[in-house]
Structures are given as structure tokens and as C-alpha cells.
Amino acid sequence: MKDYVPMLAKSKVKELGFSDKLIDELLPEPVLRPNPHHVSGPPMSLWKEADVEQAMETEVFKAHIAKRNAMREKRQAAAKKAVETKRKNLLEHVRSIIPEIEVDDDWTEEELLEAGRQSKHDYEVFVLGHYGDTSFLCTDPRTLQRWAVNFVRHRLTRYEVELDDMAGKTGCSEAHNLYHDAVNQKIAETYPFLRKECRRQRCTVSDPELIREYYMK
């Protein structure tokens, strides 16, 4: 098409960085064409692509783009700083409550192992709907200790309450890991027979190398 002249709509011109003010200042009057979407709508404004490209080479346009980019970078830096501040504040809060962690210490080893097994069974049946669950028949010592640690953490500490408080906050995943490990440490101190399992579960969150060390023993 010999007479074809590439044209750009206003939406495309704005994508290139033009504001309404710059359009009025740097571009010629637009070519008006019927609205392709609504017959009764306002006409569509079009500019020659060559005119737009020429305007983009002006110092006025380049200064506008530089200023816009600088403002964008400033906003991004401020947003990043705000996120980091929120993250640090949450972690500081978690560190401040770690010394307050308490574990109910009135349970015997037999009671905790049985409670852990029953808690696991109840979860499978009433939460997951696995009505044929046979976890209550388990006799494997390591498995029973794992269930016991989970029972203590979720039922005999404020773990669930604190996790609910962290939920949705910036840095909640890191804060959760920190608190999880601290609670497990306290459980190990309160119930020494669960120390090895607590250590394994702390590794699950924090240190994969120690997991391998645990299983090599």
C-alpha cells in the first residue's frame, strides 16, 4: 500500500511515555476517525508514528521520561524500605516473645505418646475425613515421638495463637520458622525424651544439613 501511513492511537502514545500535557505540547493536532468500538462514541485521535518518534527525540520529552523514571525508582525504593521495615518489626516481635514460651510440663512420657497418637488419629478422621485411618495402631517409636512433638507444640503451647497473629503479615514465613524452632527447643528442654525428634523437626525448617546428620546416626 503505497499511501499507507502508520498511525498511533492515544492509548499507544501514552504507553510510550506521553502525558496529556506533552501530547498537547509536542504533537500536532490529531487526525480524527470514527470510533471503531461505539458508533455514537467520541472520535478516535490518531497521530502519525513519524511525528511521535520525532517528538520523542526532543529534550523536553527526554527530560519528562527521566523525571518519571526517577520518581518511579524513588517510589519503588520507598516501598521496598517499608516492606523491609515491616519484616524487621515482625521478627523483632517474635524474638521478644521467645523468652516467654511456656510448655505444659504435667504430662508423662506414656501420656504424651498416647495423646500424640490419638491427636493424629482425630486429625485424619475429623479433619481430613480418612475414616479408615489406622494410625492409632502405630507402634513405631520414631513416628510416635513425631506425633507427640506435634501434639505438644499445637496443644500445650501458644503456638497456634502466635501463628494466627503472624498470619498475613510481611515476613510471616520467616517469623513462623523462627518461632517454630524456638518452640521446639523449649519442648526439648521440657521433655528430654523428645529432644531428638525436636531437633529433627527444627532441622526441617532451618537446616537441611542437620537432617542428613540425624538420619546417618
Side-chain angles (χ1 to χ4, degrees), residues 14 77 172 176:
K14 285 197 166 186
C172 62
H176 168 214

Side-chain angles (χ1 to χ4, degrees), residues 4-92:
Y4 172 72
V5 178
M7 306 291 285
L8 299 178
K10 190 172 186 178
S11 58
K12 181 60 178 179
V13 172
K14 285 197 166 186
E15 286 180 13
L16 294 173
F18 285 83
S19 63
D20 287 327
K21 181 180 178 181
L22 278 185
I23 289 175
D24 293 338
E25 183 179 344
L26 300 179
L27 297 179
E29 288 296 317
V31 176
L32 301 181
R33 296 285 171 78
N35 193 305
H37 305 292
H38 303 283
V39 176
S40 60
M44 181 171 61
S45 297
L46 298 171
W47 288 267
K48 292 180 182 179
E49 186 176 44
D51 290 338
V52 175
E53 291 176 347
Q54 183 178 353
M56 292 174 68
E57 293 301 319
T58 65
E59 292 302 319
V60 173
F61 181 82
K62 291 178 180 179
H64 166 77
I65 292 298
K67 182 179 179 181
R68 185 193 66 174
N69 290 344
M71 292 178 63
R72 179 180 297 169
E73 290 174 3
K74 185 177 180 180
R75 287 195 298 268
Q76 290 174 343
K80 184 177 181 180
K81 182 178 180 181
V83 168
E84 183 61 19
T85 297
K86 290 179 181 179
R87 171 186 163 276
K88 287 183 177 179
N89 288 343
L90 180 58
L91 290 176
E92 287 178 6

Side-chain angles (χ1 to χ4, degrees), residues 25-209:
E25 183 179 344
L26 300 179
L27 297 179
E29 288 296 317
V31 176
L32 301 181
R33 296 285 171 78
N35 193 305
H37 305 292
H38 303 283
V39 176
S40 60
M44 181 171 61
S45 297
L46 298 171
W47 288 267
K48 292 180 182 179
E49 186 176 44
D51 290 338
V52 175
E53 291 176 347
Q54 183 178 353
M56 292 174 68
E57 293 301 319
T58 65
E59 292 302 319
V60 173
F61 181 82
K62 291 178 180 179
H64 166 77
I65 292 298
K67 182 179 179 181
R68 185 193 66 174
N69 290 344
M71 292 178 63
R72 179 180 297 169
E73 290 174 3
K74 185 177 180 180
R75 287 195 298 268
Q76 290 174 343
K80 184 177 181 180
K81 182 178 180 181
V83 168
E84 183 61 19
T85 297
K86 290 179 181 179
R87 171 186 163 276
K88 287 183 177 179
N89 288 343
L90 180 58
L91 290 176
E92 287 178 6
H93 166 69
V94 171
R95 292 188 182 99
S96 73
I97 63 176
I98 283 177
E100 302 172 3
I101 295 174
E102 295 183 351
V103 178
D104 186 341
D105 60 359
D106 293 333
W107 296 64
T108 65
E109 179 174 345
E110 286 186 4
E111 289 173 336
L112 281 182
L113 293 176
E114 181 56 34
R117 176 162 44 194
Q118 186 61 51
S119 179
K120 169 64 175 176
H121 177 63
D122 290 347
Y123 179 79
E124 291 290 333
V125 173
F126 300 115
V127 177
L128 301 182
H130 298 162
Y131 298 108
D133 174 68
T134 58
S135 59
F136 62 93
L137 298 175
C138 177
T139 57
D140 176 63
R142 180 174 290 180
T143 300
L144 292 176
Q145 288 186 1
R146 183 174 79 250
W147 293 346
V149 170
N150 293 342
F151 170 78
V152 175
R153 186 172 63 251
H154 289 275
R155 301 290 294 276
L156 304 185
T157 74
R158 287 179 51 82
Y159 181 76
E160 292 287 351
V161 174
E162 298 299 343
L163 255 60
D164 285 344
D165 183 60
M166 298 176 203
K169 295 181 179 178
T170 302
C172 62
S173 179
E174 188 176 357
H176 168 214
N177 291 352
L178 178 63
Y179 192 69
H180 176 280
D181 284 2
V183 171
N184 275 9
Q185 178 63 32
K186 190 66 176 180
I187 293 172
E189 294 171 2
T190 306
Y191 294 105
F193 79 94
L194 295 175
R195 185 182 302 277
K196 197 171 183 178
E197 176 58 27
C198 286
R199 185 167 183 261
R200 188 195 69 80
Q201 291 197 21
R202 292 185 72 225
C203 297
T204 300
V205 171
S206 302
D207 194 344
E209 286 296 327

